[in-house]
Amino acid sequence: MELTSFTFKKNVKKKLSDARLQNNMRRFGGRFVEARAKVMQEVDNLEDIRVAAAAIRDRSLANLDTYLTLFEEQAIQRGTVVHYAETAHDVNRIVLEIAQANQVKKIVKSKSMVSEESGLNDAVIAAGIEAIETDLGEYILQLAKEPPSHIIAPAIHKSVEEVAELFSEHHHTPKSTDIPALCREAREQLRPHFLSADMGISGGNFLIAETGSVAIVTNEGNGRMVTTMPRIHVAITGIEKVLGTLNDFSTILRLLTRSATGQSITNYVSVMTGVRDASNADGPEQSHVILVDSGRSRLLAGRLKQALRCIRCGACMNHCPVYQNIGGHAYGWVYPGPIGAVLTPSYVGLKEALDLPQASTLCGACQVVCPVKIPLPELMRVLREESFSQGLRPWHERLSVTLWRFTANHPKLYGFMTRHVVKLLKALGGSKGLIHWLPGLDGWTEGRDMPAPSGKTFRDQYKAQQDERKR
Amino acid sequence: MSARDNIFARIRRGLGLPTIPLAEERERALSVINDKPRGPRPSQVWQDPISRFIERCQQLSTTTEVVSDISAIPQAVSNYLNQYNLPRQMVIWPDFSQYNWQEVGITVRVGSAKGDDLVGVTGAFCAIAETATLMLPSGVNTPSTVSLLPETHIALLDKKRIVNYMEDAWALYMAEKGTLPRAVNFVSGPSRTADIEQTIIIGAHGPYRVHIILY
Ligand code: SF4
């Protein structure tokens, strides 16, 4: 996917003034939050399960190469071919090699965020192979030629009118804004592709070391289609997605679906192991798994390691006030929201995504809802520290932090400065006590007024109170 | 060095482990895999898995019917087809080919489903009470397509085979079969999507209707 994270501020301005997007975000954004809150009430020991889920993910990460080795042994024994991709680019190369070796003409895809990292569709289409997204949201976006804006609801930024227009234009059908009719239309358009494709590409929510299986979690049934109907199945997933056992998977699943869509379980959970053999009536003859590194192994060593626990539920973005206002596209890469603000700089380079860790009020909502207890605000703070210490922040920001640090380390000077600044701010506030414009900080006051302070600092007030008592 | 070697070397460096894996790392990992520790489950607030299963089916838009025994199944299926005005041709799992379909005026084809089959009948290896989920392993006698391609999926479920949690389903499967089949599909209700305006629509690429007959 094309990277535009380095123009984050510009992206945000554009998105904030996009009336249609703002309207769509306001209308649909809250639904996941409500659904999640409701379904979590069924679980009387949520906290215990979260602690266990985080521990399961940590156990996988601490034994990552061993678990991958065990997974690989089991998978190979069942006839699956395991490939390793060091970079996103390698993913495209491997898929094309498999496709060309097998004379593949048509690929059906179910959702895979990892394949978005490498822009797989473009690469496949450029090689003359047809590639069709089959998740309804992804299908809509493929027609609209847009990237996803959410990891589980990729077309959350689109209204039914926009979908209706796209469908009528591409399917040459009369325009209808009836949502069930649009869903049926997509089913009818896509069914022949499922039946005629040579290759199905899916993501992999998890890999199971115990059995060498790939697990996928879906609602529409397209995931089952692409992994059952074509003669070749390719699953693409990150190396960090391995779990020890089927029981580990069962624990994690309880939180994944509830956190993601507010369902106690998704309609389909498929655990696939190996290829079709004599004991099967259907299924692919070839099974491939592509394990992608692309920056993940680098995270294991550092202070951002916990981000690798992520099970891609999307709850952090659903609950993020920043995401809810700017939408997913503003983040400029595959993963938006708080987890994107940590992963994007880690995978594409801090310099390329400098403003993402800043795109947070550190309100902590993401950490509260994260099913695997990733301390997202803390990780964003780590990246902020790094961008400062690497000298990547703009000079005026660095200068002001340096000045502030000096002042804060000299209490007398600090008292003197704050007393005068507060007076100045009070004067700026005028009779209404509201500041409309702050020199050098106009970003702050552009969309709102800042309440002016009372005119006295805490220290002055405290001192006055102490003097009063003494008397 | 292959991509695999490079990735594994980076992982081990990142984890601060020696370049060559130690034997005890593997043993430790294997002991977890052999122990298969179970994580915490939501408390079992239900007494009887069958009634819990039926109650949870409603939340998933799955319909259910309980019949007295196997012999009552063909008539129950026939009534269901009538009720929804569905065609009287079905694709079914081989296990049920001996049932008396002819008597109730239904024609059946045995085996995998095709793209234009409208009604599919499957059994289930077992079912899970917690989430009202069917466990459908793939196999010669249990083709996956029958629960996927038709618009209507009818599942015949032995009510003695409803376990409480997914962990129990795995344990039962491993105890009876030893290894996983090519695919285990857990099915919880008809397919759905909420990709347009977050509005839940029943019926996406899989079945529009799931009906479970418990015997
Ligand atoms: S960081 Fe946590 S909340 Fe966000 S997507 Fe990952 S698992 Fe879900």
Side-chain angles (χ1 to χ4, degrees), chain A residues 151 256 259-260 306-307 309-317 336 338-340 343 366-367 369-374 376:
Chain A
I151 60 174
L256 172 60
S259 304
Q306 286 155 314
R309 282 183 195 161
C310 177
I311 57 172
R312 304 284 190 271
C313 71
C316 54
M317 53 204 77
I339 187 63
L343 290 183
C366 48
Q367 179 171 353
V369 295
C370 176
V372 285
K373 297 176 101 56
I374 301 174
L376 289 155

Side-chain angles (χ1 to χ4, degrees), chain A residues 189-239:
Chain A
Q189 289 286 330
L190 289 168
R191 178 60 71 100
H193 292 306
F194 287 126
L195 300 177
S196 61
D198 320 278
M199 182 191 271
I201 296 182
S202 72
N205 290 79
F206 298 102
L207 306 166
I208 319 284
E210 178 187 358
T211 51
S213 315
V214 178
I216 63 169
V217 176
T218 67
N219 274 315
E220 295 181 5
N222 63 319
R224 285 188 64 190
M225 292 280 189
V226 307
T227 60
T228 308
M229 305 311 293
R231 61 189 161 90
I232 302 167
H233 170 218
V234 180
I236 307 174
T237 196
I239 50 170

